Amino acid sequence: MGERTGILAFGDDIPARLRSRPVADIDRTKEFVEMIHPGYLVEPIGGTALRYATYPPDDVVFASSSADLDIICDRRLTFDNPATLPEHLQRIGSGRRIATLGTHSVVDWLSCAAWSDGVLVRSLTVSPDGGIIENIGEPLPFETPYWAGEHPVVSTGEDPYPLPFHPLDLGQAAQRHLFGFVTEGPSHPDDVPTGEVHLLGFRVTDPTGEEKEKREFMAQMLREILGQPPV
């Protein structure tokens, strides 16, 4: 599996709004991105379909803001502890449903959470190395068969897989539940037509340069963990 995602959305019925193929308002969307990243430099660039937007490159985001839905794809908006969503993001979603999803196939990592009218409904972060990092609220219905062992991982080594499911498999189920589509695996007839939902693109950079330095440090740490040579 090669999926990686970083999605955050605000709306009363996010899958239904995406199925209606919302048209992003340019000025409103730029303002929305500036609210997500206060103090950052936000410059419009080319957009893309939702199908290709779910994990943009560094310093790039894809977003759409319309009457009933705000959605942004940004690799920075993935959290080990999503229950502690930054206050300014909670304010943006005040009175609405908030959904966030992050996955990373290098470490089989999943993080997802949902709020309703400011109340945390569910938050889960899990990986085979870190175990269950965060597990708050009752499991949502789509999770039940995974926790029940109905989707086990066939281990290729001597040791069994440390979880009763693969986090990325559960991540796709979470993505369909929260946003109405998947990026891996078979689609359903009522899935969001992701090729027909257009997001606007923005280059979003930290003018202080501190974020870039931190990112380069973390990338080097990951290379060391994976036994890769330094760049």
Side-chain angles (χ1 to χ4, degrees):
M1 296 180 204
E3 71 256 33
R4 302 180 186 182
T5 54
I7 312 173
L8 175 67
F10 310 88
D12 291 335
D13 190 337
I14 296 166
R17 284 297 302 143
L18 287 173
R19 289 187 197 101
S20 71
R21 302 166 179 79
V23 177
D25 178 273
I26 297 175
D27 293 335
R28 178 173 176 155
T29 303
K30 184 173 184 290
E31 182 179 358
F32 167 58
V33 174
E34 291 170 341
M35 292 170 63
I36 294 288
H37 293 292
Y40 279 46
L41 180 63
V42 177
E43 305 169 286
I45 58 174
T48 190
L50 177 60
R51 176 182 299 170
Y52 309 110
T54 54
Y55 197 75
D58 286 332
D59 295 330
V60 172
V61 309
F62 295 109
S64 172
S65 182
S66 54
D68 300 306
L69 176 69
D70 295 314
I71 183 169
I72 182 168
C73 298
D74 185 343
R75 63 171 62 188
R76 284 172 287 210
L77 299 177
T78 56
F79 311 99
D80 272 339
N81 302 99
T84 58
L85 190 72
E87 289 186 7
H88 77 284
L89 299 180
Q90 294 192 43
R91 287 196 298 271
I92 293 171
S94 178
R96 298 185 290 173
R97 184 172 178 82
I98 305 174
T100 180
L101 173 73
T103 60
H104 202 298
S105 58
V106 171
V107 290
D108 292 351
W109 175 85
L110 160 68
S111 174
C112 62
W115 291 257
S116 180
D117 198 14
V119 178
L120 180 66
V121 176
R122 178 65 169 142
S123 180
L124 176 68
T125 303
V126 62
S127 72
D129 291 333
I132 299 174
I133 301 167
E134 184 163 278
N135 185 10
I136 300 174
E138 292 296 322
L140 298 174
F142 72 86
E143 298 180 54
T144 301
Y146 291 87
W147 291 110
E150 296 179 19
H151 298 278
V153 177
V154 178
S155 178
T156 57
E158 295 181 359
D159 297 326
Y161 196 76
L163 295 167
F165 54 81
H166 198 292
L168 299 184
D169 290 341
L170 181 58
Q172 289 299 306
Q175 185 171 313
R176 175 172 277 128
H177 174 82
L178 296 172
F179 304 104
F181 67 97
V182 295
T183 47
E184 295 283 339
S187 60
H188 292 175
D190 60 345
D191 279 353
V192 171
T194 54
E196 301 174 25
V197 178
H198 188 76
L199 303 187
L200 304 179
F202 299 88
R203 190 169 303 281
V204 180
T205 52
D206 175 9
T208 70
E210 293 179 1
E211 184 181 72
K212 182 179 179 181
E213 292 180 2
K214 180 179 179 181
R215 186 167 62 228
E216 290 174 347
F217 173 77
M218 295 302 293
Q220 179 58 35
M221 291 289 290
L222 180 60
R223 284 193 291 270
E224 291 179 3
I225 292 171
L226 297 175
Q228 298 175 351
V231 175

